[in-house]
């Protein structure tokens, strides 16, 4: 079964890579945001630049997964290939796993320039261990956003999925405190953020690269979100029958 | 052994029923044609039997289990719509992808060879001609050495030679004990391959019998003749089409009609009597519920 997941991942990566502009597109936005906001405003303060960089990474982890899976899946479901794949003798697991793997690969590609920009154009700094922990954390925090994307992608048609992904990502970023450094957000955001998937993810990232303390309440909330979003994704997949006509 | 079964199955989209209490069984080794126009409900029926959709009410079974569980589909092969092949991927990659889902797939070379696709293995599917895509789609149904295949219009749009080749392939699969369900609104295909025809129209099974019986069910013959005078009232004529001087009469008893024409001393020429095609039989069947 795990080899089938790899097959699905490979198949999806091949499809993406054959249209290289798609890879470029997902790498462009986070790099542009780094250059426009982080480099000029907090680039020369090591602590702020480091936190801002991982906040930006969290932000792009959320957006790439939300769009890649939310919009990507609903787009795939509209293709006549999708019902065919559903007649093959495999359940949801290898398809989900394959999608997640290929999504993670593309996410890593899109994050690489962010890390390079932070390293060469800002004072952001991190220890070797901190870097490894942050890299591992990046993949961990991707999980809830992947599941959120899958839940959206499998539960609604393409046009609705685009709108929902767009409507969700900004408030999630703002209320999760991604637009501000640790402890600098308005009061209500500070209270709410730890319990939102974005805030919980950002806090894990901050702890990975700096002195920010692990907040177990926030981690528990993030695990809770992951379980709920996972349930939502599986539910949406099971009830999905491809594109609907009435 | 019944490999696929629908029991009193109804499927609605919104409040529009696509299938209305349909029951059907497909036995091992059968070669069944599902015949009906687009929108008749045959795709919906196939989607239910292959686990893509679930019925609103009633029950479907595949190899004795629920078609929506992956285990029930281990010995199933289905053709994708040829328009749906992932355009940027190569034929070989698509075959490998499908193979990976089965326990004991046909080796890639053997499959490609059997369907005459060996030369296309490196081509991206988006660049194939319609006929080539169709052949790839049919080949994909056979990747997993299935006991039963659902083929959707397998040879529509193929040239005569490619069609004969595929027909031979399907016949030899069937002769080796394979079970085939063929959907088509392309009648020659079903007449050439199927022994049993299920006619679906308006979400119901209108007929379920041998090809000959379905044709005989309406037993309509078309009598064509050229006349310049008006015809008297003739018994047993169900429909008259006029094409200039040429008249086409549909009747259940052509012998009697011709005798009557002679007895009335009608001055006709170019008499032609021919059996109706399956298409005409099928049109008569689908028209029936509206008339009743």
């Amino acid at each position: 079964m795990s080899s089938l997941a790899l097959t699905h991942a490979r198949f999806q990566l091949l499809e993406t890579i054959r249209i290289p502009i798609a890879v470029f597109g997902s790498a462009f936005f986070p790099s542009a945001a780094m250059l426009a906001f982080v480099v000029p405003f907090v680039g020369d303060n090591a602590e702020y630049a480091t936190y801002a960089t991982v906040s930006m990474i969290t932000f792009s982890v959320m957006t790439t997964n939300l769009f890649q899976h939310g919009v990507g899946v609903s787009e795939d479901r509209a293709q006549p290939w999708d019902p065919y794949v559903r007649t093959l003798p495999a359940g949801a697991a290898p398809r989900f796993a394959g999608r997640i793997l290929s999504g993670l690969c593309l996410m890593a590609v899109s994050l690489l320039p962010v890390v390079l920009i932070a390293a060469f154009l800002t004072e952001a700094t991190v220890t070797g261990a901190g870097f490894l922990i942050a890299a591992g954390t990046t993949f961990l925090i991707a999980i809830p956003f992947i599941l959120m994307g899958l839940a959206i992608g499998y539960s609604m048609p393409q046009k609705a999925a685009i709108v929902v992904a767009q409507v969700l990502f900004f408030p999630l970023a703002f209320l999760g405190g991604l637009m501000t450094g640790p402890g600098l957000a308005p009061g209500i955001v500070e209270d709410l953020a730890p319990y939102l998937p974005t805030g919980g993810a950002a806090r894990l990232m901050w702890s990975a690269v700096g002195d920010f303390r692990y907040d177990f309440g926030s981690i528990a909330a993030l695990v809770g979100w992951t379980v709920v979003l996972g349930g939502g994704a599986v539910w949406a997949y099971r009830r999905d029958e491809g594109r609907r006509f009435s | 052994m019944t490999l696929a079964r629908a029991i009193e199955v109804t499927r609605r989209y919104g409040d529009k029923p696509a299938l209305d209490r349909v029951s059907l069984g497909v036995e091992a080794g059968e070669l069944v044609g599902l015949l009906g126009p687009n929108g008749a409900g045959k795709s919906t029926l196939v989607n239910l039997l292959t686990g893509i959709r679930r019925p609103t009410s009633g029950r479907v079974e595949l190899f004795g289990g629920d078609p929506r569980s992956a285990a029930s589909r281990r010995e199933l092969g289905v053709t994708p719509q040829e328009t749906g092949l992932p355009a940027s991927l190569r034929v070989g990659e698509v075959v490998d992808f499908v193979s990976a889902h089965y326990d004991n797939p046909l080796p890639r070379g053997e499959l490609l060879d059997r369907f005459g696709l060996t030369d296309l293995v490196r081509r991206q599917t988006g660049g194939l001609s319609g006929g080539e895509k169709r052949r790839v789609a049919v080949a994909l149904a056979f990747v997993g050495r299935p006991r039963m295949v659902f083929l959707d219009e397998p040879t529509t749009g193929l040239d005569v030679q490619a069609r004969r080749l595929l027909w031979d392939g399907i016949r030899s699969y069937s002769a080796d004990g394979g079970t085939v369900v063929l959907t088509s609104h392309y009648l020659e295909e079903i007449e050439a391959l199927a022994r049993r025809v299920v006619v679906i129209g308006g979400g119901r099974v209108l007929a379920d019998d041998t090809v000959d019986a379905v044709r005989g069910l309406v037993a309509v013959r078309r009598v064509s003749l050229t006349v310049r005078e008006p015809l008297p009232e003739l018994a047993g004529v169900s429909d008259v089409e006029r094409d200039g001087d040429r008249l086409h009469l549909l009747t259940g008893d052509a012998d009697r009609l011709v005798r009557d024409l002679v007895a009335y001393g009608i001055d006709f020429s170019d008499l032609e009597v021919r059996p109706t095609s399956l298409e005409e039989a099928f049109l008569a069947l689908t028209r029936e519920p509206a008339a009743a």
Side-chain angles (χ1 to χ4, degrees):
Chain A
M1 192 217 88
S2 63
S3 80
L4 194 52
L6 288 177
T7 304
H8 276 261
R10 187 171 158 270
F11 199 72
Q12 264 153 9
L13 282 175
L14 273 175
E15 268 195 292
T16 312
I17 288 166
R18 295 269 157 82
I19 309 165
I21 190 77
V23 183
F24 173 79
S26 65
F28 172 79
F29 183 71
S31 319
M34 276 298 281
L35 291 172
F37 301 115
V38 178
V39 174
F41 296 120
V42 295
D44 47 10
N45 179 315
E47 190 193 351
Y48 285 176
T50 308
Y51 282 137
T53 300
V54 293
S55 290
M56 191 56 71
I57 288 175
T58 309
F59 182 74
S60 52
V61 165
M62 171 183 68
T63 50
T64 51
N65 285 306
L66 209 53
F67 281 94
Q68 195 161 288
H69 299 300
V71 180
V73 166
S74 65
E75 219 169 65
D76 282 356
R77 288 197 303 128
Q79 302 295 321
W81 178 249
D82 186 76
Y84 170 70
V85 174
R86 298 174 83 94
T87 68
L88 296 174
R95 291 187 82 189
F96 268 31
R99 213 166 228 297
I100 289 168
L101 277 175
S102 70
L104 288 176
C105 291
L106 291 172
M107 186 185 84
V109 169
S110 75
L111 290 179
L112 195 65
V114 173
V115 174
L116 293 177
I117 289 168
F120 292 109
L121 301 180
T122 76
E123 296 298 316
T125 134
V126 66
T127 61
F131 180 81
L132 290 179
I133 295 171
T137 307
T138 304
F139 288 101
L140 269 185
I141 62 168
I143 296 170
F145 297 110
I146 290 166
L147 295 172
M148 189 187 292
L150 292 173
I152 292 171
Y154 278 112
S155 61
M156 49 190 83
Q158 203 174 335
K159 282 182 179 158
I162 294 173
V163 173
V164 169
Q166 278 169 341
V167 166
L168 271 178
F169 93 91
F170 184 78
L172 273 176
F174 179 76
L175 294 174
L178 300 187
M179 313 300 213
T180 43
L184 299 177
I188 179 170
V189 173
E190 282 296 319
D191 294 339
L192 191 62
Y195 306 107
L196 287 180
T198 35
R203 274 161 182 71
L204 280 179
M205 291 298 283
W206 293 340
S207 305
V209 296
D211 298 328
F212 198 85
R213 218 174 268 206
Y214 281 105
D215 171 351
F216 290 100
S218 163
I219 292 172
L222 191 58
V223 170
W225 277 109
T226 307
V227 171
V228 169
L229 291 167
V234 170
W235 171 81
Y237 180 86
R238 293 241 167 98
R239 72 183 269 281
D240 171 50
E241 299 188 329
R243 191 161 49 157
R244 262 152 220 273
F245 297 99
S246 57
Chain B
M1 186 194 170
T2 309
L3 298 191
R5 196 200 306 265
I7 304 157
E8 287 284 302
V9 164
T10 297
R11 169 69 209 214
R12 280 180 238 285
Y13 300 114
D15 52 3
K16 181 173 160 272
L19 281 183
D20 186 11
R21 282 173 291 124
V22 165
S23 294
L24 181 76
V26 178
E27 301 296 317
E30 274 194 300
L31 211 168
V32 182
L34 280 187
L35 180 63
N38 288 325
K42 63 188 194 308
S43 311
T44 300
L45 181 57
V46 170
N47 287 343
L48 295 176
L49 291 171
T50 55
I52 295 173
R53 297 183 188 277
R54 70 180 80 202
T56 308
S57 68
R59 200 150 56 89
V60 281
E61 280 174 14
L62 186 69
F63 296 106
D66 178 356
R68 289 186 60 91
S69 100
S72 309
R73 302 193 300 264
R74 271 205 309 267
E75 295 176 301
L76 171 73
V78 178
T79 46
Q81 285 181 40
E82 87 285 2
T83 50
L85 299 171
S88 58
L89 295 177
R90 303 184 198 287
V91 171
E93 289 164 352
V94 174
V95 171
D96 288 345
F97 173 77
V98 175
S99 290
H101 289 80
Y102 292 95
D103 296 334
N104 180 25
L106 280 177
R108 182 166 98 173
E110 193 183 325
L111 181 87
L112 293 174
D113 184 50
R114 187 185 289 185
F115 289 91
L117 299 170
T118 308
D119 296 340
L120 304 180
V121 63
R122 298 276 310 151
R123 295 264 304 278
Q124 289 183 311
T125 64
L128 301 177
S129 73
E132 289 166 338
K133 283 181 191 170
R134 182 78 64 174
R135 271 150 57 206
V136 172
V138 175
L140 290 178
F142 291 92
V143 166
R145 302 182 199 267
R147 280 174 67 203
M148 173 157 74
V149 289
F150 283 78
L151 307 177
D152 183 29
E153 314 249 342
T155 65
T156 305
L158 292 186
D159 60 49
V160 175
Q161 196 191 349
R163 181 185 301 159
R164 298 271 165 218
L165 204 77
L166 261 186
W167 282 355
D168 287 346
I170 293 168
R171 284 193 194 105
S172 82
Y173 169 78
S174 172
D176 290 344
T179 307
V180 182
V181 177
L182 197 70
T183 52
S184 196
H185 55 256
Y186 175 63
L187 304 159
E188 195 186 345
E189 188 160 58
I190 286 192
E191 286 187 294
L193 293 171
R195 286 152 219 161
R196 174 180 164 204
V197 192
V198 177
V199 181
I200 296 190
R204 315 204 58 155
V205 172
L206 299 175
D208 181 350
D209 217 322
T210 63
V211 173
D212 288 339
V214 165
R215 220 193 272 113
L217 198 65
V218 279
V220 175
R221 288 184 190 253
R222 173 185 287 258
V223 177
S224 305
L225 63 164
T226 303
V227 277
R228 288 194 174 72
E229 55 192 290
L231 288 183
E233 189 74 20
L234 292 162
V237 174
S238 58
D239 199 13
V240 181
E241 287 168 39
R242 185 178 291 274
D243 179 14
D245 284 345
R246 194 89 180 137
L247 283 181
H248 305 282
L249 312 173
L250 291 183
T251 177
D253 189 347
D255 302 323
R256 178 178 168 194
L257 176 61
V258 172
R259 274 197 296 270
D260 284 353
L261 287 169
V262 173
Y264 282 118
I266 293 161
D267 180 23
F268 61 83
S269 56
D270 290 334
L271 180 75
E272 201 178 16
V273 180
R274 59 181 185 84
T276 51
S277 65
L278 193 48
E279 179 153 43
E280 284 162 309
F282 160 69
L283 277 176
L285 277 169
T286 48
R287 215 185 286 130
E288 206 170 40

